[in-house]
Amino acid sequence: MIRFLHAADFHLDSAFHALSPQRAAERRRESRELGARLAEEALRRDADLVLLSGDLFDGTDSFRETPEELARGLGRMGVPVFIAPGNHDFYSPDSPYATVAWPENVYVFQSSHVESIDLPDLNCTVHGAAFTAPEQTTGLLTGFAAPADGRVHLMTLHADVEPSVPRYNPVTKTEIAASGLAYLALGHVHAASEPQKCGKTLWAYPGCTEGRGFDELGDKGFYFGTVSDESAVTLEFVPFARHRYEILTVDVTDQDPREALEAALPKWTTDDLYRILLTGETDERGVDLTALETVLSGRFYALELRDGTRVRQDVWARAEEDSLRGEFLRRLRRQYDAAKDDGERENVTRAVRFGLAALDHRDIL
Ligand SMILES: [Mn+2]
């Protein structure tokens, strides 16, 4: 039996634009420890080989320490490691794959033709190919068929399965079924896919190892797999991200916003980045986002609060009053009813709150 670790899309040295400069620098520093952390996992799980399916670096101009640090980590694994460069980290003479000294156990595919490396001790052949430019419009798997030689055949590729536009190594399910591979280890899609079968070939995307924004939510990690001598594959998803991005919507109607929010949160959030949207109805004072943020921010790695609440119906009810307040509410009610979208309604809601606060000589939140 062969035990393998399959990971992809590290995107090391990503800019993390949405974070504070301090947090962004911290996350880039942390991300450089990924190789060492993965090595620990590979050793602890007794992996026989490691498949890395591209986009390990976010760009071709990464800091020099980043690939050096990754090379050191992968060297510590002590087992064969195969890298198939992707569109962000395509192989070229200037790429870190060519300019950094990679340890002997690391094999980087360099050409846009499938190469095959035999591992006789494991009765296994590992196939792979590289992006050599930011785009690869023809499929690298096209025409490939592993020989029926009794060996276990694995492949690592950065690829897009049945894409609408063929820019990133388009691969068809028919080609996967015809490949004769036991496992096709893919990279490129940042959400982990379920293991899928085409013919006798299992394939999967492990997704990225760390989310980088609110479009990459929840657990991120890698696949750990086994292949039997008969080429039967099992896969286990291993959550591995240091920080998760989560979006939470909390209805604060008739509740203290802080209590409603705390009730909706899981226990451990200190390592995670949260976007919390408050919805529902509030009185004319609305929600004090700044105060909420002050008391809660320590519970998160980063917190972003958004106010999507509406003013309660009984606030509008006073539009009937024959007073400045009534006149003000009547005018805004007309604007609210005529609003074309949520954004406009939010603006009117804000105007109601500010206006009523001014009329009552209250401080606005
Ligand atoms: Mn990619």
Side-chain angles (χ1 to χ4, degrees):
M1 187 166 80
I2 300 168
R3 301 162 66 79
F4 67 90
L5 191 157
H6 169 207
D9 293 278
F10 302 169
H11 286 272
L12 298 179
D13 282 337
S14 285
F16 294 110
H17 287 301
L19 293 178
S20 68
Q22 189 193 341
R23 282 295 202 217
E26 190 176 298
R27 292 207 66 190
R28 282 196 297 274
R29 208 165 42 242
E30 277 180 2
S31 72
R32 279 178 215 139
E33 296 162 11
L34 181 65
R37 288 177 65 221
L38 278 176
E40 256 174 59
E41 285 290 314
L43 291 168
R44 197 170 64 74
R45 292 167 179 271
D46 202 16
D48 298 302
L49 61 93
V50 174
L51 305 170
L52 303 179
S53 308
D55 283 3
L56 307 190
F57 307 109
D58 194 52
T60 43
D61 56 348
S62 63
F63 300 98
R64 197 170 170 83
E65 307 85 63
T66 306
E68 285 176 350
E69 199 60 41
L70 182 65
R72 263 195 295 280
L74 300 184
R76 235 169 272 160
M77 291 179 172
V79 294
V81 176
F82 297 90
I83 299 176
N87 54 302
H88 279 265
D89 59 348
F90 61 88
Y91 187 89
S92 80
D94 304 324
S95 68
Y97 296 124
T99 58
V100 166
W102 294 84
E104 255 180 35
N105 65 312
V106 176
Y107 189 89
V108 180
F109 291 102
Q110 301 182 6
S111 117
S112 51
H113 297 283
V114 174
E115 283 178 75
S116 308
I117 313 296
D118 284 328
L119 302 171
D121 293 350
L122 296 172
N123 191 34
C124 172
T125 304
V126 176
H127 310 267
F131 274 60
T132 54
E135 294 195 2
Q136 173 66 45
T137 53
T138 57
L140 297 171
L141 191 64
T142 306
F144 175 86
D149 54 7
R151 287 175 175 240
V152 168
H153 290 273
L154 308 174
M155 184 184 282
T156 174
L157 270 188
H158 200 75
D160 211 352
V161 178
E162 313 233 321
S164 46
V165 183
R167 284 173 70 184
Y168 303 111
N169 184 18
V171 160
T172 68
K173 291 181 176 175
T174 315
E175 286 169 341
I176 298 176
S179 70
L181 296 163
Y183 183 56
L184 175 58
L186 294 177
H188 186 60
V189 175
H190 286 191
S193 75
E194 290 294 314
Q196 300 188 56
K197 205 151 200 188
C198 292
K200 288 181 175 165
T201 303
L202 199 72
W203 60 275
Y205 287 101
C208 49
T209 41
E210 286 278 343
R212 291 177 303 158
F214 288 103
D215 52 349
E216 295 175 356
L217 299 176
D219 278 328
K220 298 289 174 190
F222 59 83
Y223 269 121
F224 195 82
T226 64
V227 198
S228 73
D229 297 342
E230 294 75 38
S231 289
V233 180
T234 68
L235 282 185
E236 173 204 355
F237 183 76
V238 181
F240 198 60
R242 284 205 163 156
H243 309 286
R244 288 180 308 176
Y245 283 83
E246 301 286 357
I247 295 177
L248 189 67
T249 301
V250 180
D251 188 330
V252 299
T253 306
D254 297 328
Q255 297 183 76
D256 174 67
R258 182 179 172 182
E259 282 170 18
L261 209 152
E262 291 197 343
L265 281 172
K267 200 167 175 191
W268 302 110
T269 54
T270 43
D271 288 330
D272 297 335
L273 301 98
Y274 265 75
R275 171 182 290 168
I276 300 174
L277 173 69
L278 303 175
T279 62
E281 295 188 339
T282 55
D283 67 16
E284 61 195 51
R285 290 159 197 260
V287 179
D288 186 347
L289 280 192
T290 317
L292 256 187
E293 205 168 319
T294 307
V295 293
L296 288 171
S297 59
R299 285 188 55 175
F300 302 89
Y301 188 77
L303 172 64
E304 189 184 303
L305 277 175
R306 293 187 175 186
D307 186 3
T309 57
R310 301 180 307 276
V311 282
R312 263 190 338 236
Q313 282 308 314
D314 61 351
V315 174
W316 293 114
R318 294 188 62 185
E320 307 306 318
E321 279 179 19
D322 184 18
S323 64
L324 181 56
R325 190 187 176 94
E327 176 61 25
F328 172 69
L329 284 170
R330 280 196 292 281
R331 284 187 182 208
L332 286 180
R333 181 76 225 199
R334 282 196 291 276
Q335 287 185 29
Y336 188 87
D337 291 338
K340 286 186 221 44
D341 53 41
D342 284 347
E344 269 186 48
R345 273 185 287 273
E346 255 170 55
N347 282 338
V348 179
T349 300
R350 212 170 296 138
V352 169
R353 285 174 178 151
F354 286 6
L356 293 180
L359 286 169
D360 296 343
H361 307 290
R362 272 188 285 111
D363 284 337
I364 47 174
L365 299 174

